[in-house]
Amino acid sequence: MTQKNRITGGQIDRSRTLSFRFDGKSYQGHPGDTLASALLANGVRLMGRSFKYHRPRGPLSAGSEEPNAIVQLREGARQEPNTRATVAELFDGLTATSQNRFPSLSFDMMGVNDLLSPFFAAGFYYKTFMWPAKFWESIYEPIIRRAAGLGALSRQDDPDAYDKGFLHCDLLVIGAGPAGLAAALTAGRAGARVIVTDEDFRMGGRLNAETHALGEASGADWAAGVVAELASLPNVRLMPRTTTLGAMDHGIYSAVERVSDHLPVPAAGKPRQILWRIYSRRALLTAGAIERPIAFENNDRPGIMLAGALRAYANRWGVAVGERVAVFTNNDDGLRTATDLAAKGIDVAAVIDTRTGGPLLPGIRHLQGAEVTGSAGRLGLSAISIRHANGKVESLPVTALGVSGGWNPNLNIASHHRGRPVWQDAIAAFVPPKDGPAGLSAAGAAAGLFSTHAALQSGAGAAVAALDDLGVKATLPDLPRAEDAPVAIAPKWYVQGKGRAWVDQQNDVTVKDVKLAHQENFVSVEHLKRYTTLGMATDQGKTGNILGLAVMAELTGRTIPETGTTIYRPPYTPVAMGALGGRSRGHEFKPTRLTPSHKWANEQGAVFVEVGMWLRAQWFPKAGETTWRQSVDREVLATRASVGICDVTTLGKIDIQGTDAGAFLDKVYANTFSTLGVGKVRYGLMLREDGIVMDDGTTARMGQNEWVMTTTTANAVPVFRHLEYVRQCLCPDMDVQLISTTEAWAQYSVAGPNARKLLEKLVDQDISDAAFPYMACGAITVKGVRARLFRISFSGELAYEIAVPTRYGDAMIRALMEAGREFDAVAYGTESLGVMRVEKGHVAGNELNGQTTALNMGLGKMVSKKKDAIGMVLSQREGLVAEGGLRIVGVKPVDPAQPLTAGSHFLEPGAAAVAANDLGWLTSVVYSPHVGSSIALGYLKNGEARKGQRLRAVNLLAKTEVEVEIVSAHFVDPEGVRLRG
Amino acid sequence: MIINHPLLGPRDAQEFTYLGDATLIDRPDGLSFPSADAAMDAMHDYLYQRSNPAGEHRELWFHEQGDRSWLVVTRNTVTHEILKVELARDVARMRGRSK
């Protein structure tokens, strides 16, 4: 029989039937159902197994606070673990599976944990699995993880898109219950820009779950009418299926909109979810309240749920959870469940009311001063035991029990800025803190105002007040008459008993666990949480936290406010990683920057490498070359023998202009620049204020007041930031202006003995050695196109860098290669660039690692003491200038056939490979076709004095050890004849 | 967070890069001391001795994804309330810096 528990009424569309599957079995439901309501309608109460003891569990709630009914939704790549059946909107073809059970939900082998529960009490991780210590990682942890696993990932790429978006409003209304709708109506009619978010797919909040009338209409109809009016206002944005996750700073809220979770597959072009950043001038928390249970022995059986949820399933979804039900309450709201269910024709067997006195419910067996002491039923509730006021014990067969211990205002977001919630005795609950996020106020049940009348009035009033703050005049709308019952509650937290009474069902924390934590002197609420895991995991203790706190308070003999409270952090509910990542995944994780020669290099079959955001050609394989080494060796040898061309556009380029530009460069570089002649280039070393090298590069004086600085590729952005800092914060009156021109110029290195001959074919000026000597620079033209030429060399060869406006970059590389044809010019990539700079002994990123000084690099003399450059003073600190410190050296294997490994450490022959004997390390290793072996640069203690020594290069990770000889870092042309040629 | 840029109005903090304590503006001149030791001490204190207040803090922010202004932002480190935003260049001049 299908939907055997479906009764009349509710806001479901019975004209359509939806088919879905749970654990492989087919069921039917209707539009408007959640997975939980549809399963309950079909008589399915068992929906999951508990985390630790694998106890059979059904839904406790009808909302996002659900601790138990955690299921896996959908199949294949769209499989999503750990979702709550109570908020999963039903669609045709939905498939769901239960989690944390083997082999099946009704027979779970790990249920043995429940029998072994004495071993799994609070803190069991810390006690049971302590010895032997080495067992933790290898044995205990993997077993525990398998046993306590929640859902599983699909291990496939998520086929759906996720977006991020930005919204602005005058008033953000968080929650569309009576208070939120009244507020939105007030602000919307006043013309304010309003955003209303609600996690439900149907706005109205508890109005959809209650039977109270609002004026002449039902609550649900009134809500639908207001929603329709709001939807017609252009200044109001209604966002159902949107959970506000957290209060950030300055009125910014994050929210996730589940655009397509209620569809089998997102519509074409639509994302599955959108993560919104909402900029609000004022915000109103109208998120309602969450009911809390009363703990008693075995209070976790499927069929036992919060009284308000039992009523919601009947009123909103037309579901009788059980054919015979009871209600256990300490407050008047619980009585509503009994009257509502009775009105629906459901057999209400008894109301067990912990309070005495007061009127009895007419026509219902209302037991005052009684309590529920236990329950029975293997996979679902079959009976409860009741202790009457006179001590008599009764067993009452029922299949559903609604429990109400009172309601907690849903103040979660109001405590995101660490404001402490305030205890209110009258409602026996915490209300939002007074020092919550600036600009946020609360209304309705979220503020502890529980009647429908108070919700409507406070919502509208809060909107008027918020808009008044913003200088917008709003008037209270005519609000319908609504129930205004006072809160009548006598706090009751748990029923004394020998067995286990569950406080936090998601984490299997019992009253006993709280007691144990107390016995072991965990007094602080925060410690209680860590020790027992109370309030952790996907529900973050929305139903259990206050209960745990109350138990702790009772044990310590203090009041609840004296005991403390836990505050909440974002996100309000779990967020899929995909939503946080948005579009930033795969190729779009970060932007990709292409060099001006990229298209040409691609045509040549270049292999590319990511350098920061750039894609650079790494090498250019030629036909017949089977390993990268063959290509790189060829490129290096051809460059040194004739000429090679490399795209060096990625290096940072900063134009520096102004009458004080020279003085400015003297400030930011350790060496002097103001004395450099026009048309000259100088190598510059830039220090951080602490004396460590920040960056290096060449700076060219193009005119009296015009300079061009280059930075390393990696530091282009930080150096530019640093220069602006010095310019604005330290030298505010210097006449100097900066602009980054990295992407404005396409720049190519042309290196090798035939470099000049090649360039002479293209440039319009005389670039003979006399006219354009080593370290010259100047504005030139290339067949009439303006260009810049720098005679600088990273390779150690006769070399130039030539720059043309970026739009000519592609034409330029083609022109260079064409002009180089007669010289057998090669294009070379970053690998060859690296080989040649190591052969020449030039430092680069591996040597400028943020720990090294000019002295370490053998450039100590460059630091001028005659001027106050950044880092000059502190570069002379005792520890940085000590004799025998790290100095740069060249390294060769004694046996040329042996390869070196970067990161290897220097050790004396015979010294043990321990940190105390460490003499330094190899920073950069390449194979040098010039030397005919692996070569390296390295930092070595007292390195200058060790040239000629033999040491060991030991790498414990790569398990290599090579005997090496310490040599000069200049493997090629140490006298610098070639580059001056 | 939202930083009210003196020239551009309210901007999201994501557009900015944070540096730290605005006392960095008061950089001593390394050549103005009678001895190298005195210069070392002064520069050391300048660079490393910072207060870390729970409360009002003046700090440097760089509008990197914007107009490249360095700003001095007075912010309450406990509440993140921003009390004042100034151009660092103006602050530097007020504190006697020039070239």
Side-chain angles (χ1 to χ4, degrees), chain A residues 855-876:
Chain A
L855 192 59
N856 295 147
M857 294 171 195
L859 304 172
K861 290 200 180 72
M862 283 184 69
V863 181
S864 165
K865 315 284 168 20
K866 298 198 187 90
K867 62 188 183 74
D868 177 38
I870 305 284
M872 180 272 282
V873 171
L874 292 179
S875 74
Q876 302 306 307

Side-chain angles (χ1 to χ4, degrees), chain A residues 148 191 325 344 346 357 399 442 643 647 655 742 767 806 809 905 954 973-974:
Chain A
V325 304
K344 289 261 178 191
I346 298 166
T399 49
V643 62
D647 189 328
D655 252 46
T742 304
I767 56 167
T806 302
H905 280 252
V954 176
D973 189 26

Side-chain angles (χ1 to χ4, degrees), chain A residues 453-478:
Chain A
H453 172 80
L456 294 170
Q457 293 295 327
S458 68
V464 170
L467 294 185
D468 190 53
D469 265 6
L470 302 176
V472 176
K473 196 90 195 111
T475 47
L476 284 175
D478 271 341

Side-chain angles (χ1 to χ4, degrees), chain A residues 334-606:
Chain A
L335 304 182
R336 278 186 183 149
T337 300
T339 49
D340 278 10
L341 295 184
K344 289 261 178 191
I346 298 166
D347 177 9
V348 179
V351 172
I352 301 95
D353 192 336
T354 61
R355 300 168 300 169
T356 52
L360 290 172
L361 286 174
I364 290 176
R365 189 177 172 220
H366 186 172
L367 307 170
Q368 293 186 329
E371 48 191 28
V372 175
T373 55
S375 73
R378 197 175 76 82
L379 295 173
L381 183 67
S382 61
I384 55 171
S385 44
I386 302 168
R387 183 163 52 221
H388 291 270
N390 62 10
K392 211 182 98 204
V393 174
E394 173 191 350
S395 176
L396 182 71
V398 290
T399 49
L401 174 70
V403 182
S404 181
W407 292 75
N408 292 317
N410 190 7
L411 53 80
N412 192 304
I413 284 169
S415 67
H416 283 187
H417 290 187
R418 302 197 63 79
R420 311 298 291 188
V422 181
W423 181 258
Q424 236 176 47
D425 268 329
I427 59 169
F430 285 99
V431 295
K434 298 214 169 14
D435 55 346
L440 176 75
S441 51
L449 303 165
F450 287 147
S451 80
T452 311
H453 172 80
L456 294 170
Q457 293 295 327
S458 68
V464 170
L467 294 185
D468 190 53
D469 265 6
L470 302 176
V472 176
K473 196 90 195 111
T475 47
L476 284 175
D478 271 341
L479 293 168
R481 277 170 55 85
E483 63 82 27
D484 194 17
V487 173
I489 182 170
K492 171 80 183 178
W493 305 102
Y494 68 99
V495 177
Q496 297 283 355
K498 289 208 182 78
R500 284 175 295 164
W502 307 89
V503 174
D504 177 337
Q505 298 203 16
Q506 179 147 104
N507 293 290
D508 277 345
V509 178
T510 64
V511 172
K512 272 186 184 170
D513 290 322
V514 179
K515 286 182 174 171
L516 184 66
H518 172 247
Q519 272 168 30
E520 297 184 354
N521 212 20
F522 290 90
V523 182
S524 137
V525 178
E526 301 299 333
H527 289 160
L528 173 68
K529 172 175 176 175
R530 268 76 197 174
Y531 195 58
T532 62
T533 68
L534 173 75
M536 292 188 179
T538 63
D539 68 335
Q540 289 288 295
K542 289 186 178 67
T543 54
N545 272 359
I546 305 297
L547 182 52
L549 178 68
V551 175
M552 187 59 133
E554 199 169 300
L555 294 169
T556 54
R558 294 179 298 178
T559 64
I560 288 170
E562 280 168 355
T563 309
T565 178
T566 53
I567 58 174
Y568 299 89
R569 286 179 295 203
Y572 176 68
T573 48
V575 189
M577 292 303 290
L580 297 174
R583 299 274 174 182
S584 302
R585 64 185 217 193
H587 275 307
E588 283 152 12
F589 181 68
K590 56 179 171 51
T592 302
R593 302 172 80 180
L594 300 181
T595 63
S597 65
H598 184 84
K599 185 162 172 266
W600 175 85
N602 210 20
E603 288 165 15
Q604 308 309 308

Side-chain angles (χ1 to χ4, degrees), chain A residues 169-173 183 187 193-195 280-284 463 466-467:
Chain A
C169 64
D170 297 316
L171 184 67
L172 168 65
V173 179
R193 291 181 306 163
V194 180
I195 291 174
S280 73
R281 298 174 74 199
R282 291 291 180 278
L284 188 59
L467 294 185

Side-chain angles (χ1 to χ4, degrees), chain A residues 43 211 467 922 930:
Chain A
T211 49
L467 294 185
L922 272 60
H930 178 82

